[in-house]
Structure formats: structure tokens, C-alpha cells
Amino acid sequence: MTSTKKQVEVKDKIEGDMMDLSFLQLTEVPMKDIASYKKVRELDISTNRLVRLPPAMMTLTHLVKIDLSKNQLKELPENFGDLKKLKHLDLFSNQLKQLPLSFCELRELKFLDLKDNPLVPVLGEAAGDCVDAKSCQLAAKKVVNLMSTLKEEVEKRLRKEKEKMERQEREEQEAEMRLLEQKRREKKAEKQRRRNQAKWNRPNEPTASGFEDSGFQEPPVTDNSESLNRVQPRTPTILSRFTPSMHRIVATSLVIFTAVTIARWNGPMTTENAFKNVKKNYEAVRDVIFTLKGYSDGLYAFMSKMVMDLAKKWELDGAISKAQSVWGLVSGKMYDLLNSGYQATLQGFNLCWKQGSEILSRAIEYYRH
């Protein structure tokens, strides 16, 4: 069948603004022939063997009536709603189960026949039985409204899915950013820890007092005097500075102890009684010194615990190691000072016990003779 003969045949099928291509056993829609006749408003392709419609058919937007009944159509093109001027649509006796969502765009549709199609229940209920003009008009209205609702639901669901995917993507990106930030902080903290370890960690040197170390490490000595943030060169220990003063404390303690013993003298001026008075005053003063020593140890332990607790609570990078180093330096010097004072004072009064007793004994012997 040549193209010319086909045109002649199609032309013979046109009457007014209607083209009748029914009962031709067509398996495809002759789009090229139909599109060449722009004056056609009604198209009858019923009683053929059409399985699908070409998407190009939706360009025939001038059509107002289409009869596709008694074919084998299983679906309509997704862009079927482009036929916005369509008022009459006959889909009787096909294999349709669903309609495209774009069907809701057929706002001008006044007649719809979907009988004898295996429609899904919700669509079949809306289509009803098209037995007269009124029922077919109602079917058109209900189906268009149903497809509008379905389209809104589908768009809403797609919108939610899109938002969910976007939210998941954002959360994944934020999680990735948090992970990168955490790794960056950990890397920075590790660098700081290594820097602190290289800077601060040195073996503890025993103090001159002979007491055990406090468990902390002193910062290293540096010759960079221009930096305010670094420790200046190591100076003599507190105890070595305090040593010259110990002689003055011993001498002063001897004088005070002798004066107190004489002022609080009890009993006769005998050598035996002198030893009793000296020992009594020495033990009283020694108890006071031990009490003060206990207070100083308690203060040192309390301050150490408080500094460590604060450092752990803040959880700052390198704060604990810095606090340990700085507090170890400060508390070590303070403890040296307290312990040195205690040792010097106790040594003074020990000497007072020996020397004072001797002096008093000689004085009593001199007094008696």
C-alpha cells in the first residue's frame, strides 16, 4: 500500500470534521495521515487491534472526541492529559487497569465510558456503569476528580520522599562533617599531647629535703628568655635558699625556748628538776609543730585534688597534663617550704632540748656553788 493510496483512503474516511478509521484491523495509529488534517475534531479508531497509542498522538490537541472502544489497549500514554480540549472519550472494552495521572488535566471531559475494562477497584468504582449520557458524564467527573486526588497524593508522597532523601543527605553530610571535625580535633589533640610529652615529661628529680616526689613533673629548662610563656632557667631550690635561715631559726629557737622554760619554771632549782621542765616544754612545743605539720600536709593534699578535679572537669586538650606539670612545680616548692620550716623548727627545738638542758644544768650548778 503506497503513501498516495493511503492518503486517498484516509481522505475517503473524512466526513466534515470527523475521521472514521474503525473496522480496519489497525495495529498502529496512522499518525502521519491523521496529523495532516488539522480540521478533524473527532476521531473514531474503534474496533481495531491497537495495543498502545503513540505518544505523538497527544499532539493532536485540537481533538474534542476520540473513540477507542473495542481495542486491546493495556495502557494510555503518560502525557494523555495534553489533550486538554477533549470532551468525549470512549474506552469501552479494552485491557486497561489504570489511567495515567495526567488524566486529571482533562477538565473539559463530559463523557467517559470505561466499561468492560479490568480496572483497579477504586477506579472502577469511580467510573461506574456508563449506560446513558448522564451516567457517562458523572463517570467523567468522578474519574477526573479521582485522578486529581491520586496525583496530589502521589506528589505529596514524592515530595515527602524527596524531603526525606534530602534530610538523609544533609544528616549524612553533617555526620561526615562531624566525623571529619572529630578526627581533626583528635589529630590536633594528639599533636598537642605529643608536644606536651616532649616538652614537659622529664624524670622527677629528688628534692633536697629527702621526701618522696609528689608524682608530678617539672617543665624543662629553656634559655629563651624572650618568651613569656616558657619557664625561665632553673633556680636554686627553696630548701637551699632556706638553709642560711635555718641557723637563725635554731639560734632564735634556743633563746626563746630557754626564756620560756625559765618563765614557766616549776619546782626547785635542781638539775633533775631542770631536765623535767625542759622536757615538758619541749614536748608541748613539739606537739604544736606536729599539729601545724598535719595542717600543712592536709592543705597540700586538698589543693592537689582540687586542681586535678578541675582539670578533668574542663576536659580541655592538654589541660590535665599542663595542670599536673604546673601544679607539680608550685605544690612541690610549697611542700618543700612547709617541710623545710617544720624540719628547721624541729631541729631547733631538738637542739634546745640538748643544749638548753646542758646550759640550765650548768647555770644551776653555778648558782648552787
Side-chain angles (χ1 to χ4, degrees):
M1 183 182 294
T2 63
S3 177
T4 304
K5 184 178 180 181
K6 201 171 189 178
Q7 288 180 356
V8 172
E9 290 178 352
V10 171
K11 184 177 181 180
D12 294 340
K13 299 294 182 178
I14 298 175
E15 184 177 350
D17 60 353
M18 178 180 177
M19 179 182 292
D20 187 0
L21 299 177
S22 60
F23 297 98
L24 297 178
Q25 301 296 314
L26 297 175
T27 57
E28 296 182 358
V29 179
M31 277 300 304
K32 185 175 181 180
D33 297 324
I34 297 174
S36 60
Y37 295 97
K38 300 295 184 183
K39 67 177 183 177
V40 174
R41 296 291 180 268
E42 299 179 7
L43 178 63
D44 186 357
I45 323 179
S46 63
T47 318
N48 284 288
R49 294 185 295 171
L50 300 176
V51 178
R52 61 178 61 85
L53 301 177
M57 184 177 175
M58 306 309 114
T59 60
L60 306 176
T61 55
H62 54 280
L63 296 178
V64 296
K65 179 179 179 180
I66 301 178
D67 188 350
L68 292 166
S69 61
K70 296 184 179 179
N71 278 283
Q72 301 173 16
L73 296 174
K74 295 182 178 181
E75 61 181 5
L76 299 179
E78 290 295 331
N79 60 339
F80 194 85
D82 292 345
L83 303 175
K84 298 183 185 299
K85 294 181 180 180
L86 196 61
K87 296 181 178 181
H88 185 109
L89 179 61
D90 193 343
L91 293 169
F92 169 73
S93 187
N94 279 279
Q95 300 298 320
L96 296 172
K97 294 182 179 180
Q98 293 181 345
L99 297 176
L101 293 176
S102 63
F103 201 90
C104 65
E105 302 296 331
L106 304 180
R107 299 295 179 181
E108 300 294 327
L109 193 62
K110 303 299 181 184
F111 180 97
L112 178 62
D113 189 355
L114 283 169
K115 294 192 307 296
D116 199 14
N117 279 281
L119 301 172
V120 294
V122 62
L123 184 57
E125 183 179 354
D129 293 328
C130 180
V131 293
D132 53 29
K134 185 177 181 180
S135 60
C136 293
Q137 183 177 1
L138 183 62
K141 182 179 180 180
K142 285 185 176 182
V143 170
V144 170
N145 291 338
L146 173 64
M147 299 310 297
S148 297
T149 302
L150 293 177
K151 183 178 180 180
E152 290 177 359
E153 292 178 355
V154 169
E155 289 178 348
K156 185 177 180 180
R157 185 176 69 253
L158 293 176
R159 187 164 53 251
K160 287 184 177 180
E161 291 178 356
K162 183 179 179 180
E163 292 175 354
K164 183 179 179 181
M165 291 180 62
E166 291 176 351
R167 184 169 60 254
Q168 289 178 349
E169 290 179 358
R170 286 196 304 270
E171 291 176 353
E172 290 177 357
Q173 292 176 356
E174 292 174 357
E176 185 176 357
M177 292 298 294
R178 286 195 299 269
L179 182 60
L180 292 176
E181 180 66 16
Q182 181 180 357
K183 290 182 178 180
R184 186 187 68 80
R185 290 182 178 179
E186 290 177 354
K187 186 176 180 181
K188 183 178 179 181
E190 180 64 19
K191 288 183 178 179
Q192 185 66 29
R193 187 188 67 79
R194 291 179 179 177
R195 191 181 300 116
N196 290 340
Q197 185 176 3
K199 183 177 180 181
W200 302 115
N201 285 357
R202 294 184 58 186
N204 289 332
E205 297 179 359
T207 58
S209 62
F211 279 76
E212 295 182 355
D213 289 333
S214 58
F216 304 111
Q217 296 175 343
E218 297 183 359
V221 179
T222 176
D223 294 332
N224 188 5
S225 58
E226 297 179 358
S227 176
L228 298 178
N229 296 327
R230 297 188 178 180
V231 181
Q232 298 299 322
R234 188 186 300 272
T235 56
T237 62
I238 295 296
L239 186 58
S240 62
R241 284 182 169 184
F242 198 72
T243 302
S245 301
M246 290 175 58
H247 302 294
R248 291 191 291 271
I249 292 176
V250 171
T252 305
S253 300
L254 179 59
V255 174
I256 293 175
F257 185 76
T258 303
V260 171
T261 301
I262 294 173
R264 298 181 59 188
W265 191 270
N266 187 17
M269 296 290 288
T270 63
T271 303
E272 182 179 358
N273 191 45
F275 276 100
K276 290 181 180 180
N277 280 274
V278 171
K279 184 177 181 180
K280 179 179 68 174
N281 287 284
Y282 164 73
E283 291 175 350
V285 175
R286 187 182 61 181
D287 291 341
V288 173
I289 293 174
F290 277 130
T291 303
L292 294 177
K293 174 65 167 53
Y295 288 150
S296 68
D297 289 344
L299 177 62
Y300 166 73
F302 172 75
M303 293 296 291
S304 297
K305 185 177 184 303
M306 182 179 68
V307 171
M308 291 300 101
D309 289 344
L310 288 176
K312 290 179 181 178
K313 182 178 180 181
W314 293 337
E315 293 183 352
L316 299 176
D317 294 339
I320 296 179
S321 60
K322 288 182 180 179
Q324 288 177 341
S325 299
V326 175
W327 178 243
L329 176 64
V330 175
S331 61
K333 299 300 183 183
M334 182 183 71
Y335 196 77
D336 283 348
L337 178 61
L338 294 175
N339 186 64
S340 298
Y342 158 72
Q343 292 290 345
T345 306
L346 192 60
Q347 184 178 350
F349 282 106
N350 279 330
L351 187 59
C352 286
W353 160 249
K354 297 177 181 179
Q355 299 293 335
S357 299
E358 233 179 277
I359 292 172
L360 285 176
S361 297
R362 292 177 182 178
I364 290 172
E365 288 295 331
Y366 178 78
Y367 172 77
R368 293 177 66 181
H369 293 303

